[in-house]
Amino acid sequence: MRIRLAFSSTASSLHPSGTALQSSVTRSILRPAPSILLRRRFNSIPRRTTIQSNSLRKVLQKSTCRYDTTLTASASFSTMTSSFHPEQARVPPALQSPNPPITKFKIGLCQLKVTADKEKNILHARAALEEAAEKGAKLVVLPEIWNSPYSNDSFPVYAEEIDAGFDASPSTAMLSEVARLLNITIVGGSIPERSGEKLYNTCCVFGPDGKLKAKHRKIHLFDIDIPGKITFKESKTLTAGESPTIVDTDVGRIGIGICYDIRFQELAMLYAARGAHLLCYPGAFNMTTGPLHWELLQRARAVDNQLYVATCSPARDVGAGYVAWGHSTLVGPFGEVLSTTEHDEAIIISDIDYSQIELRRTNLPLEKQRRGDLYQLVDVQRLNAQ
C-alpha cells in the first residue's frame, strides 16, 4: 500500500497545504439537503463541487514537491537515497576502506614534558615509546614539537633536515630505530624540519621495519590573535605544507594532521573519503582554546566521519613560553571518549577495534544518505591525478 502526498507552490499560495480548499469541498458534499426553492437557487452547487475537486486534483498532479510514504521501509530508503545521488557527494567517489592487517590492537599516546635540551627530549621520547610498547601498544603517537620548545625563536635552531638522512636528523633516526627494534608503528608527533630555505612543522610515520612510510607537513598554520589571551603566528617562521597525508600501515589506513589542521573538517572528510580508519593529530592546544575546543573538535571529527581520532599533546609546563593544554585523547567512531588524561606527563594505552566503525556506519548510514544532488566534497589531489 502506498500513500502519496503532494504539495504545490500554487496550492500553498491560495490555500496553505490545500487545507482550506479541501475542507470547502467536504462541506459542500456533506451539507444537509436544502428546500426545493434553495435547490433551484443553488442548483450549481454539485457542479461547483466537481470543478473544485477537479482543480485540486490537477494542482496536486502538477506538484513539484512530492513525498512518498511506503510501508516497506527498505524500499522507501532505497528510493530516497537513490534520488539523493550519494555517490556524487564525493568527487572522485569515496574509496572503500581496505581490510587492515589487524582489526584490534592497542594504541599508546605519549604525553611528554618538553625541555630546552634537545638530546634529553630525544632520550625521554625513546623511553616513552619503549614503555608504551612494553604495555602492548602496536601503534604509538608522540606530541607536536616534542624535541623543541614551541616558539618561533626555537624552530630554526632545533630544525632537522629529514630528507638529508638520519645523520642530519637525530630525532627521526631514533624513531626509525625504535620502530624497528620494537616492531611497532610510530606516528612521530612533529618536529621542526628544514628543507632548503624553508621550515616546516613535520610529522613522520615509521613502520615496524624502521622505514619512513609518510611525512606530513602541517597544512594549516597556527596564526591567531585573541586580544588579552594569546597571539601566535607560525607563519613568521614556518611554511605551510601542500599535501594531505594518508598512509597504509600495519595497523590500518591513517590520515595525519597536526594541531591546527583538526579545525578544518574538510581535511578529515577528505581522509574519510580516502578510506581512513583512524585520524591522528599530534597537537599542542593552548590554555585559551584548549578548554573550549580540544575535546570538542576531536569528537566532532570522529562522529562526522565515523572513525577513530587520536590526539597527543605535550604535557603542561606553566613555566614555558607557550603553555600546552594537555589532555591527549582517543575518541571512538560514535564520538565517545575512550581514553584521556589530564595535563601531566602520561602514557595512555587504549584499545582500538575497527569493527566498531562498520557497526556505527550501519547504525547511522550517513554515507548512503549524503545529498550529492546538493553538495560535494572535491578531493583536488585525487581529481588532478586522474
Side-chain angles (χ1 to χ4, degrees):
M1 176 181 177
R2 170 169 290 186
I3 302 172
R4 171 161 291 181
L5 303 177
F7 300 89
S8 166
S9 58
T10 304
S12 297
S13 63
L14 296 175
H15 303 278
S17 302
T19 304
L21 182 58
Q22 179 64 53
S23 60
S24 173
V25 172
T26 304
R27 283 197 301 272
S28 298
I29 295 173
L30 299 180
R31 182 178 296 154
S35 64
I36 296 176
L37 179 61
L38 290 175
R39 190 176 293 124
R40 290 174 180 172
R41 182 176 180 181
F42 296 105
N43 58 7
S44 62
I45 288 177
R47 184 171 180 272
R48 186 188 304 118
T49 301
T50 303
I51 293 173
Q52 289 180 334
S53 297
N54 290 337
S55 297
L56 177 60
R57 188 177 298 110
K58 290 179 180 179
V59 167
L60 296 179
Q61 287 174 348
K62 292 181 179 179
S63 170
T64 59
C65 182
R66 299 179 182 275
Y67 296 90
D68 289 341
T69 304
T70 308
L71 296 180
T72 306
S74 59
S76 176
F77 178 79
S78 176
T79 302
M80 176 184 70
T81 55
S82 63
S83 66
F84 290 168
H85 305 296
E87 72 284 353
Q88 296 179 16
R90 310 289 199 183
V91 180
L95 300 174
Q96 181 71 28
S97 297
N99 293 324
I102 57 176
T103 58
K104 296 182 180 180
F105 62 93
K106 293 185 182 297
I107 184 174
L109 309 176
C110 300
Q111 184 164 289
L112 306 176
K113 188 172 182 179
V114 179
T115 72
D117 187 330
K118 184 176 184 178
E119 184 176 354
K120 181 179 178 179
N121 292 334
I122 293 174
L123 293 174
H124 190 46
R126 181 178 188 128
L129 291 167
E130 291 172 346
E131 182 178 342
E134 287 177 5
K135 293 179 177 179
K138 299 301 294 181
L139 169 65
V140 187
V141 186
L142 292 181
E144 179 185 25
I145 307 295
W146 57 267
N147 71 345
S148 161
Y150 187 87
S151 72
N152 280 313
D153 291 337
S154 299
F155 296 152
V157 178
Y158 289 75
E160 300 180 7
E161 295 186 51
I162 297 173
D163 292 340
F166 292 150
D167 289 341
S169 180
S171 298
T172 57
M174 181 275 290
L175 297 178
S176 172
E177 182 179 13
V178 172
R180 178 176 56 81
L181 292 175
L182 301 181
N183 192 37
I184 60 174
T185 298
I186 296 176
V187 175
S190 75
I191 64 172
E193 178 198 8
R194 185 181 300 279
S195 180
E197 299 298 318
K198 296 180 179 179
L199 297 176
Y200 298 94
N201 186 342
T202 301
C203 174
C204 294
V205 180
F206 289 91
D209 57 3
K211 294 182 180 180
L212 178 65
K213 298 186 70 67
K215 186 173 71 171
H216 177 76
R217 290 168 171 169
K218 189 173 186 177
I219 294 174
H220 305 93
L221 295 184
F222 180 59
D223 284 9
I224 69 165
D225 182 12
I226 303 176
K229 297 291 186 178
I230 181 172
T231 298
F232 201 98
K233 304 287 185 183
E234 276 189 330
S235 61
K236 285 185 177 180
T237 54
L238 301 179
T239 300
E242 296 295 333
S243 178
T245 304
I246 193 162
V247 54
D248 286 316
T249 73
D250 283 18
V251 289
R253 181 168 290 181
I254 303 175
I256 305 295
I258 299 175
C259 199
Y260 205 52
D261 285 340
I262 199 173
R263 288 192 176 274
F264 300 87
Q265 66 268 36
E266 296 87 352
L267 181 62
M269 292 166 64
L270 184 150
Y271 287 152
R274 292 187 184 186
H277 302 100
L278 166 69
L279 306 183
C280 286
Y281 294 97
F285 267 45
N286 55 78
M287 298 298 293
T288 298
T289 60
L292 290 171
H293 300 154
W294 180 237
E295 181 181 303
L296 173 67
L297 287 166
Q298 296 170 61
R299 297 183 68 189
R301 299 296 83 85
V303 76
D304 283 351
N305 299 288
Q306 299 176 303
L307 39 64
Y308 283 89
V309 171
T311 61
C312 190
S313 167
R316 190 178 305 170
D317 180 0
V318 295
Y322 181 94
V323 182
W325 170 241
H327 295 80
S328 302
T329 303
L330 176 68
V331 179
F334 213 46
E336 72 277 32
V337 175
L338 298 175
S339 295
T340 190
T341 187
E342 294 295 325
H343 58 267
D344 294 325
E345 282 201 329
I347 297 177
I348 300 172
I349 305 295
S350 190
D351 293 311
I352 285 180
D353 180 358
Y354 286 146
S355 69
Q356 290 297 306
I357 296 176
E358 184 59 33
L359 173 63
R360 296 312 183 185
R361 291 177 178 178
T362 300
N363 296 155
L364 293 171
L366 304 183
E367 193 63 31
K368 297 177 182 179
Q369 297 170 330
R370 298 190 186 280
R371 294 295 300 270
D373 56 330
L374 299 180
Y375 49 74
Q376 292 179 326
L377 173 74
V378 179
D379 188 337
V380 176
Q381 194 177 56
R382 283 183 62 207
L383 193 63
N384 290 341
Q386 289 185 342

